Amino acid sequence: MPGFVGRLARVDLSKGEVREEEIEEGIFKRFLGGRGLAAKILLEELSPDVDPLSPENKIVFATGPLTGTAYPGSGKHIVAAKSPLTLIWGESTSGGYWGPELKFAGYDVLIVEGRASSPVYIWLHDREIEVRDGAHLWGMNVVEATKRIRCETDERARVACIGQAGERLVRYACIINDMNHASGRTGLGAVMGSKNLKAVAVYGSHRRLEVVRPAEFRNLLVEAHKILEASSTAQSLSNYGTSGGTPALNELGILPTKNFQTGVFEGSERISGQAMAESILVGRTTCMGCPIGCIRAVRIEEGPYKGVTEEAGGPQYETVAAFGSLLLNDNLEAIARAHYLCNQYGIDTISTGVSIAFAIECYERGILRKEDTGGLELRWGDPELILKVVEMIAQRKGLGDVLAEGVRRTAKKFGAEAERYAMHVKGLEVPMHEPRGKKALALLYAISNRGACHLVSSHDTPFAGKGIPELGIEGGLDRFAVEGKGKFVKSTEDLMGFCNSAVICRFPTAVLNPEENIPIKMIAKFLGAVTGWDVGPRDLQTFGERAVNLARIFNVRLGVTRKDDTIPSRFGEEMPEGASKGQRVTTADLDLMLDEYYKARGWTENGIPTRRRLEALEIGEFARLIP
């Protein structure tokens, strides 16, 4: 089946049973893969009242039609389950080579259910599925376990693994594949830990996937590479990684600083991708099929933070800001060490940094005292404190055991006064982007199905110039305006829904930069060349819109409505300084954007998908799941 293998692997750890199932082409033609297919599976198979850390929860690893091809940015896969952090839709994507390897091994999708009686790992190779004893791996960090598993299976195997944080059920534990690529958000590493599943190793000797029109695909590939070679965005990502934009965000007054109290950090240059390139950077790596090479590789051999190696990669922007400006820390080597520890233990750098910032602010305001912190004095800008608390969270020791529950739960434990400083949406900690200086982002945070997420839709700033006319997405956006942002978020969210179903990286695409990167109409041609389908740009949006609606239905079954589509109260306060000084997102602003967004989606005023819209999207059978 061109673009697909046409099979899924299912592993029931409770029963010790493995089997494969066929997937009909008609399923792919509606749900595509990735998020769309994972949402379909979980809606059909998962009870809404399931405990995320119980054997009844299921975790889905899914690829898409472009995964494993030479398309630039085709190395991604998606992982989905009910989240132990947010208790709603849980989803995370990761790059590298694990996703393509799953397809080479013979499967588009892997579903894991149940709970093993003792630690295990799954070895999946050339359509053979084994559940192997993993007791000797329990307690190992990610790099140690990955190397051991490769010795026991195949040195070419790709391994998706949890560290000690996942074993200890830290609610924002992540899954690390290829030792330095993270399925970072919503705590899916804890789901693996709850199942006594240490890792999933995959390898396939069949390295080529069927393409219907190979000559057309090759021609498109040549053209796409030329576009990326000429793209200043792609070049910056290659040279400096995502943190190359840190100084620019600071100039715009939207660099999250001091737990989002401000958007200006005087140490921004010292923690930037440019500073990294001049100091600790030793190499760049990439994901399958991508010429950009945005992944950092860093090494520190001397000084207080020595021992950081390139095996665990290097910090990208989210990590740099979460352990840097958010905590008033301008020590780049300490940030790299924090990243190294998080990758070894397997914890989300965003949620970890936000949790530490929350604790420091609560301490500064007298909500926490030394007797609450185990004698720790929580201070801004203290690298040694930051690293100590990272270890405490991963090991669930002392204050770290409390913070390992996420800021929403921790705030309830600290008391009502603390809740105003807990930066989360729907239980997911806010990522390193300040919405007061780009208002579409505020709406994006509010409506995201997994909670606060910067990857659900496009941001305002890249669309200040050109738009995507073939899809009716206008350019010339004013980042401070609220009018028109509902329609903008809906349209670009559909495109990101496609990317997460295809499954492809947004960095090389027009979703990130409509002026320079691969245009949407070319991506549609790529999909057509691979599958043989007759698709255009609007069809890509439809794939994405289906995925968005399915994830929303998953949440609506759990009681999510307009009341939950909100943002932290801090964003209603005026920015105190910088180029975004005076900006805020009022309740009226958010209501206006929500009304426009729901209308564009064809949902009710309370944010509920309608049967009419679902039927128009050819997924009307899921309307019965809406209470």
Side-chain angles (χ1 to χ4, degrees):
M1 187 185 302
F4 307 95
V5 180
R7 286 186 296 270
L8 69 79
R10 188 183 295 270
V11 179
D12 187 326
L13 296 176
S14 295
K15 298 178 181 178
E17 295 179 353
V18 300
R19 69 177 188 271
E20 64 175 43
E21 302 170 14
E22 299 296 319
I23 307 176
E24 297 177 356
E25 186 177 14
I27 297 296
F28 292 120
K29 281 189 171 182
R30 278 207 296 164
F31 304 103
L32 198 60
R35 180 198 289 169
L37 188 52
K40 172 194 180 294
I41 291 168
L42 292 177
L43 276 171
E44 292 177 342
E45 299 188 12
L46 209 61
S47 169
D49 59 357
V50 68
D51 181 339
L53 297 178
S54 73
E56 289 72 34
N57 198 9
K58 302 186 181 189
I59 186 165
V60 179
F61 299 80
T63 64
L66 296 179
T67 306
T69 70
Y71 173 84
S74 67
K76 297 185 82 69
H77 66 278
I78 191 169
V79 190
K82 187 176 182 181
S83 166
L85 178 64
T86 64
L87 304 181
I88 54 174
W89 173 254
E91 171 192 331
S92 194
T93 58
S94 182
Y97 296 83
W98 191 94
E101 203 68 47
L102 178 64
K103 288 182 77 171
F104 298 151
Y107 301 100
D108 298 289
V109 178
L110 169 65
I111 303 172
V112 183
E113 53 198 37
R115 174 186 290 150
S117 58
S118 60
V120 298
Y121 71 94
I122 295 171
W123 170 223
L124 197 158
H125 56 107
D126 290 338
R127 293 185 65 182
E128 293 187 17
I129 310 167
E130 301 176 47
V131 179
R132 292 190 172 187
D133 176 58
H136 59 299
L137 304 171
W138 211 250
M140 288 186 180
N141 65 39
V142 167
V143 170
E144 292 169 340
T146 297
K147 289 181 176 179
R148 179 69 66 86
I149 290 169
R150 285 176 174 169
C151 288
E152 296 175 3
T153 56
D154 191 304
E155 64 180 10
R156 298 164 295 182
R158 299 292 177 176
V159 181
C161 185
I162 63 171
Q164 297 95 322
E167 296 173 5
R168 296 185 175 103
L169 307 184
V170 173
R171 288 190 183 267
Y172 41 88
C174 59
I175 305 166
I176 305 288
N177 61 277
D178 301 315
M179 295 193 289
N180 53 41
H181 293 268
S183 295
R185 310 234 66 196
T186 72
L188 302 182
V191 177
M192 282 182 62
S194 73
K195 295 182 177 302
N196 277 326
L197 178 61
K198 181 67 175 179
V200 180
V202 294
Y203 176 72
S205 57
H206 180 70
R207 313 299 294 176
R208 296 183 66 85
L209 301 173
E210 184 181 355
V211 174
V212 172
R213 299 192 290 269
E216 180 184 348
F217 184 89
R218 286 193 296 270
N219 290 337
L220 287 168
L221 196 60
V222 170
E223 187 177 351
H225 276 257
K226 288 180 179 178
I227 290 172
L228 294 177
E229 286 172 5
S231 167
S232 62
T233 301
Q235 191 60 51
S236 177
L237 286 168
S238 178
N239 291 339
Y240 306 119
T242 54
S243 61
T246 305
L249 291 174
N250 195 60
E251 289 178 9
L252 291 172
I254 51 176
L255 179 64
T257 302
K258 202 177 183 183
N259 199 29
F260 292 92
Q261 292 184 44
T262 182
V264 177
F265 179 50
E266 64 178 21
S268 65
E269 297 280 356
R270 294 188 288 275
I271 63 173
S272 67
Q274 292 82 348
M276 191 184 304
E278 295 172 357
S279 56
I280 59 177
L281 187 73
V282 295
R284 303 169 179 84
T285 60
T286 190
C287 304
M288 181 172 178
C290 185
I292 294 177
C294 71
I295 309 301
R296 306 293 89 182
V298 303
R299 185 190 306 145
I300 302 175
E301 297 178 325
E302 299 177 347
Y305 309 113
K306 67 180 180 181
V308 173
T309 67
E310 57 267 39
E311 287 178 319
Q316 293 278 29
Y317 167 72
E318 297 296 326
T319 304
V320 162
F323 291 118
S325 58
L326 197 73
L327 301 174
L328 298 187
N329 171 35
D330 64 359
N331 189 315
L332 184 58
E333 290 195 355
I335 292 170
R337 179 68 182 174
H339 168 268
Y340 181 80
L341 291 174
C342 286
N343 268 23
Q344 293 276 29
Y345 284 120
I347 45 176
D348 176 28
T349 59
I350 297 174
S351 289
T352 302
V354 174
S355 296
I356 295 172
F358 167 66
I360 294 175
E361 182 164 5
C362 286
Y363 186 84
E364 181 182 57
R365 295 181 182 278
I367 298 170
L368 283 184
R369 295 167 296 179
K370 270 194 176 181
E371 50 264 40
D372 302 312
T373 67
L376 289 177
E377 185 174 347
L378 305 185
R379 299 185 302 268
W380 298 108
D382 185 341
E384 299 305 321
L385 171 74
I386 294 167
L387 296 174
K388 184 176 183 63
V389 179
V390 168
E391 299 249 18
M392 292 172 69
I393 291 171
Q395 297 172 8
R396 276 193 173 271
K397 291 184 177 179
L399 176 64
D401 189 34
V402 180
L403 297 179
E405 292 292 298
V407 297
R408 180 170 65 178
R409 286 179 178 83
T410 303
K412 292 185 183 301
K413 185 178 180 65
F414 289 172
E417 186 182 353
E419 294 191 16
R420 63 183 298 188
Y421 312 120
M423 303 301 292
H424 73 88
V425 175
K426 299 183 177 77
L428 184 64
E429 286 75 19
V430 176
M432 298 299 104
H433 300 270
E434 170 57 67
R436 285 172 285 189
K438 39 184 177 179
K439 301 295 174 61
L441 182 66
L443 175 61
L444 192 161
Y445 283 166
I447 55 87
S448 169
N449 283 313
R450 71 175 185 176
C453 176
H454 61 295
L455 298 174
V456 165
S457 173
S458 297
H459 298 200
D460 316 55
T461 43
F463 286 78
K466 183 180 177 183
I468 306 179
E470 62 266 35
L471 295 178
I473 300 174
E474 297 180 357
L477 289 190
D478 177 353
R479 67 188 180 103
F480 295 144
V482 294
E483 294 82 3
K485 297 299 174 67
K487 182 180 178 182
F488 170 78
V489 166
K490 186 271 180 189
S491 297
T492 56
E493 184 186 15
D494 289 343
L495 286 177
M496 274 305 301
F498 164 77
C499 289
N500 286 344
S501 297
V503 181
I504 58 174
C505 179
R506 75 187 185 116
F507 282 177
T509 74
V511 181
L512 179 68
N513 188 329
E515 296 195 17
E516 297 184 344
N517 291 357
I518 302 173
I520 301 302
K521 59 185 177 183
M522 181 181 288
I523 298 172
K525 290 179 181 179
F526 267 111
L527 181 60
V530 170
T531 62
W533 300 346
D534 182 15
V535 291
R538 293 284 182 181
D539 297 303
L540 305 194
Q541 279 192 309
T542 299
F543 281 124
E545 188 173 0
R546 288 190 188 119
V548 170
N549 276 269
L550 291 174
R552 182 69 174 192
I553 293 170
F554 187 97
N555 285 348
V556 168
R557 287 201 305 171
L558 296 167
V560 171
T561 64
R562 184 181 186 125
K563 71 181 187 308
D564 303 289
D565 292 345
T566 186
I567 55 176
S569 60
R570 171 155 282 168
F571 295 140
E573 302 169 3
E574 291 187 359
M575 290 289 281
E577 59 185 327
S580 296
K581 183 178 181 180
Q583 292 296 318
R584 61 185 182 133
V585 182
T586 66
T587 300
D589 290 337
L590 185 58
D591 279 340
L592 185 153
M593 291 189 288
L594 283 172
D595 286 340
E596 185 178 286
Y597 173 81
Y598 294 153
K599 182 178 181 180
R601 282 244 167 265
W603 293 354
T604 71
E605 293 180 355
N606 204 26
I608 311 298
T610 63
R611 176 178 292 276
R612 180 178 180 180
R613 188 59 198 150
L614 296 178
E615 288 177 347
L617 291 169
E618 300 179 345
I619 52 174
E621 70 268 31
F622 293 96
R624 61 182 171 78
L625 301 178
I626 299 175

